[in-house]
Amino acid sequence: MTITTSAPPTRSTPVALALGFLTGGVIGAALAAFVVGCVIESVPLCVAGVGLPVVYGLFFRLAGAPRRAREAAVVPRTALAVVESREAVEGEATSDVAVRFDLTVAPDDVPAYRVAFTQNINLTDLPDYRQGVVVVVQYPPDRPWRVRIVKRPTPEWEDRAADARLDSAPGPVLVSESSDGCGVGFVTLLGLLLAAAGVVLLFRADLFDGDASDKPPASSSSPSSSSSSSSSTVVSSAYGTVTLGPNQSFLAKGELRRAVGLLTKDTDSRAALTVVVKDRLLSIVYAPTGSTATTFDPDSPPYDRFPALVEEARSGLGVGSPQTWQLTVERLTGSLTVRVGVTGPEGAASLEANGQGKVVRRTPAH
């Protein structure tokens, strides 16, 4: 008997690829937003990470409603079929089991064809579907591979099945589960990775410039420390740091001078190797006793000029927003140098000033 039924269409179409990419993007963005929100303690970001899949799922459900309505409106065809083979693939021994069937379907008006599919069957009913038994099946006329066994057929079809003798049809065997193919899987993974990376990149300033990264380096000495609800100060033989509390910044007028005074008031005029300033962190690294390195007096930098230098670097070098910045004072080249580095979505940039706070070099974002 000749088989004229074609194989089911594959889903690796442009629409399927686009849908796979969008689905992967939603999953990646939602997971990244939730994790980043937890790390930076952002409630709106956590809510967005949870709500995005829900909104997408609702939209996907609504968008597919017309197609499901059309499919439900199609009257299924009823036909006889003979069981070629069966195999239980999963399930509990005391309930329904998933059975993989291979049938020859013999419609009244088209040639017979072979089909393979999986259907849940109660364990007690398995003997009714042994090899060679004729059963009654239904399938949509436009999707003949979506065959389902009718467990309780009408008396007319039950009588026809009892009296029928069907011959096996040769292959090919149609399958009811159409495969997405590797193309859809690849673009889904690509969308997931790109969306997750985009979220992390967007919030990298909050992730990598928080208080955790502002902790001073470990020291073998035993530093003395004092803290309050608004700031904390740590002084040791190797370094000194001042960390401001939330909603404070060293760009505020007079804040740097006050913090430097806290670190130098009880010292014996120790020379500094570097001074590093971030939004809420001031660090001074002192020169070891007997060091021959080039040093400077930690009170000598033009601290009053620092806020203006940082503002110029952030707004005039084209790095975009959000951004991170760091100001470093050193004397490695012989003269005091103030360098402001800033990083944003458009790249990294820097600004260099002399010991009086006058800008001598600008390097825009690239």
Side-chain angles (χ1 to χ4, degrees):
M1 186 174 294
T2 304
I3 307 300
T4 60
T5 307
S6 60
T10 63
R11 295 173 59 187
S12 294
T13 61
V15 174
L17 293 175
L19 183 60
F21 184 83
L22 180 61
T23 301
V26 170
I27 295 173
L31 289 175
F34 183 78
V35 173
V36 171
C38 292
V39 172
I40 67 175
E41 300 180 353
S42 172
V43 175
L45 200 57
C46 291
V47 173
V50 174
L52 182 60
V54 176
V55 173
Y56 177 73
L58 180 61
F59 174 79
F60 187 80
R61 181 75 177 175
L62 292 176
R67 175 185 57 82
R68 292 192 298 272
R70 290 193 302 269
E71 293 179 353
V74 175
V75 179
R77 286 185 177 177
T78 305
L80 297 178
V82 61
V83 178
E84 302 289 351
S85 65
R86 66 175 188 182
E87 179 185 5
V89 292
E90 60 181 19
E92 299 292 338
T94 57
S95 61
D96 288 357
V97 293
V99 180
R100 181 74 172 178
F101 287 100
D102 181 355
L103 303 183
T104 290
V105 180
D108 293 336
D109 52 352
V110 296
Y113 64 94
R114 291 281 291 274
V115 64
F117 63 96
T118 301
Q119 183 173 341
N120 289 335
I121 301 295
N122 191 278
L123 191 63
T124 58
D125 295 332
L126 276 179
D128 297 336
Y129 304 105
R130 62 188 181 276
Q131 184 177 359
V133 169
V134 177
V135 295
V136 179
V137 298
Q138 287 185 336
Y139 61 89
D142 56 340
R143 298 182 302 279
W145 55 89
R146 290 195 174 181
V147 173
R148 310 304 293 173
I149 296 176
V150 180
K151 298 179 181 179
R152 294 178 178 82
T154 62
E156 177 188 355
W157 281 99
E158 191 172 6
D159 292 340
R160 289 187 59 180
D163 298 335
R165 296 294 181 268
L166 303 179
D167 296 330
S168 299
V173 178
L174 305 184
V175 290
S176 59
E177 299 87 358
S178 58
S179 175
D180 286 343
C182 60
V184 174
F186 174 78
V187 298
T188 301
L189 178 61
L190 179 64
L192 187 151
L193 295 177
L194 289 178
V199 172
V200 174
L201 186 65
L202 185 63
F203 294 95
R204 69 184 184 279
D206 299 311
L207 283 171
F208 304 118
D209 195 43
D211 290 339
S213 62
D214 290 340
K215 293 181 181 179
S219 173
S220 58
S221 60
S222 299
S224 61
S225 65
S226 62
S227 63
S228 67
S229 60
S230 59
S231 64
S232 63
T233 303
V234 178
V235 180
S236 75
S237 61
Y239 65 88
T241 65
V242 176
T243 304
L244 297 180
N247 302 320
Q248 294 181 289
S249 173
F250 279 119
L251 298 181
K253 184 177 180 180
E255 193 66 47
L256 265 174
R257 284 289 184 186
R258 182 193 67 81
V260 172
L262 292 175
L263 297 180
T264 59
K265 66 179 181 179
D266 296 328
T267 63
D268 299 327
S269 301
R270 283 182 291 177
L273 289 175
T274 59
V275 173
V276 178
V277 183
K278 296 184 179 181
D279 192 47
R280 291 193 293 155
L281 175 72
L282 166 67
S283 277
I284 299 179
V285 178
Y286 299 114
T289 303
S291 172
T292 58
T294 305
T295 60
F296 59 93
D297 183 351
D299 287 320
S300 64
Y303 292 108
D304 295 338
R305 285 280 299 149
F306 284 8
L309 294 175
V310 172
E311 180 60 28
E312 181 176 348
R314 296 176 65 184
S315 60
L317 299 179
V319 298
S321 180
Q323 57 190 220
T324 59
W325 64 270
Q326 177 175 301
L327 186 149
T328 305
V329 183
E330 45 85 13
R331 198 184 167 191
L332 298 178
T333 59
S335 59
L336 196 67
T337 301
V338 180
R339 184 175 295 103
V340 182
V342 59
T343 303
E346 303 302 323
S350 63
L351 176 150
E352 189 173 310
N354 58 22
Q356 288 73 46
K358 181 179 179 180
V359 178
V360 296
R361 185 179 295 107
R362 297 176 178 86
T363 306
H366 58 278

